[in-house]
Amino acid sequence: HMLSGSINTFSDLQNQNNLLCLTQIELGNLGREEVTQAIMALLSIDDASQIKGLASICHRRTMGNPFFLLEFVKLLEEEGLLYFHLGLLQWKWDEVEIESRTAST
């Protein structure tokens, strides 16, 4: 893993002088339901049926990798594919547009 060197350096520092307290947590891929829950939490949406399509796309594009999921949602917002509509006070997106513009990701 690309962070292994840094983790090993911090572990060595911890062992040398006990100034650091590291906890390593292994995080596996999220299932479709967990991705749905994460999207609901990120967008403050209580009804899973409202984001079923978006969550499905996010799960498919990221394969449930939690880091990729967060980055993918950021990408959608940066590209204007996911945006907060101030007049309606809710998040909006076009699943067809997301599908077509993120097909290679």
Side-chain angles (χ1 to χ4, degrees):
H1 189 273
M2 61 191 249
L3 295 177
S4 294
S6 297
I7 292 170
N8 290 337
T9 300
F10 287 129
S11 292
D12 291 343
L13 288 172
Q14 178 183 11
N15 292 335
Q16 290 172 7
N17 53 23
N18 289 331
L19 291 177
L20 297 173
C21 181
L22 297 177
T23 302
Q24 187 170 348
I25 300 172
E26 291 192 30
L27 185 59
N29 289 349
L30 304 174
R32 190 175 303 265
E33 180 62 30
E34 290 84 10
V35 168
T36 299
Q37 291 172 358
I39 300 292
M40 288 173 64
L42 287 169
L43 304 183
S44 297
I45 294 175
D46 295 328
D47 184 2
S49 67
Q50 290 180 341
I51 62 155
K52 184 178 178 182
L54 177 62
S56 178
I57 295 167
C58 290
H59 183 261
R60 203 168 47 252
R61 296 289 189 258
T62 65
M63 299 183 73
N65 180 303
F67 175 75
F68 293 159
L69 175 62
L70 293 175
E71 292 301 308
F72 186 71
V73 172
K74 284 187 213 175
L75 171 76
L76 294 179
E77 187 176 16
E78 288 168 1
E79 295 292 321
L81 298 170
L82 173 68
Y83 61 94
F84 190 77
H85 191 288
L86 288 174
L88 298 174
L89 297 176
Q90 65 184 19
W91 288 95
K92 302 296 281 179
W93 60 89
D94 180 339
E95 293 166 15
V96 173
E97 186 71 12
I98 292 171
E99 284 278 13
S100 68
R101 294 203 24 210
T102 65
S104 64
T105 60

